[in-house]
Amino acid sequence: MDVTYQLHELTHIVPLLAKEGESNLTWLFKGEMGAGKTTLINALAQYFGVIDPVSSPTYTLVNEYEAANGKLIYHMDWYRIKDEDEAINAGIDELVQDALCWIEWPEKALGILPETAFVIEILVIDAQTRRLITKIITKPYLDI
């Protein structure tokens, strides 16, 4: 997918994104600070029927949500992680294996990610406009 949209159109983009990424448990969100990664994840959580409030796990590293179908979703923000060893020591590597994971700043610990991941890159065009580019990648994740 390669689409440019206005922020108020996000609810129209989310179902397309969910359909494209449905075969992957690991979704990697790329974008500069303030690009709207958490905003997009909030919209995805609503689409998946998450009732709990969605916020950035910048300081907690991981937020856990329950989707309408009863399955767990882990929202991770690895911005403050120093390296892969720190992620492993925090137990994050175990979470990435069995549930839907939405990961911001994934480049901090690429080695703990599964063989295949769905990448969502958000580019800022202006204050109200974003470009969304998606792709499915496999290890060794050379193009992330």
Side-chain angles (χ1 to χ4, degrees):
M1 175 186 312
D2 186 338
V3 62
T4 300
Y5 63 95
Q6 299 291 305
L7 293 178
H8 69 273
E9 299 173 314
L10 192 55
T11 56
H12 302 293
I13 302 299
V14 166
L16 303 172
L17 197 58
K19 179 69 174 161
E20 186 175 346
E22 70 185 354
S23 64
N24 290 279
L25 287 177
T26 304
W27 295 23
L28 310 178
F29 292 80
K30 291 180 57 180
E32 64 186 59
M33 189 75 71
K37 295 179 293 293
T38 303
T39 300
L40 178 57
I41 288 171
N42 191 7
L44 283 163
Q46 289 177 7
Y47 178 80
F48 281 93
V50 171
I51 297 170
D52 297 326
V54 175
S55 61
S56 177
T58 301
Y59 295 100
T60 59
L61 299 180
V62 180
N63 287 343
E64 180 181 293
Y65 309 117
E66 185 176 336
N69 64 6
K71 293 187 179 182
L72 292 179
I73 300 171
Y74 294 110
H75 174 195
M76 303 181 194
D77 186 331
W78 294 355
Y79 182 76
R80 299 203 179 281
I81 290 177
K82 292 179 186 142
D83 56 29
E84 197 171 301
D85 287 337
E86 185 176 343
I88 292 169
N89 289 336
I92 291 173
D93 56 323
E94 296 174 20
L95 300 178
V96 178
Q97 305 305 320
D98 298 323
L100 181 57
C101 294
W102 296 329
I103 304 169
E104 300 181 49
W105 305 101
E107 61 275 7
K108 298 287 187 114
L110 292 175
I112 69 171
L113 295 173
E115 193 64 34
T116 304
F118 180 52
V119 177
I120 300 112
E121 183 173 10
I122 305 169
L123 303 169
V124 176
I125 306 299
D126 61 37
Q128 293 299 314
T129 311
R130 301 293 186 269
R131 180 177 176 202
L132 192 81
I133 302 169
T134 62
K135 60 186 169 187
I136 295 174
I137 62 172
T138 57
K139 277 189 175 178
Y141 301 131
L142 298 175
D143 56 350
I144 190 163

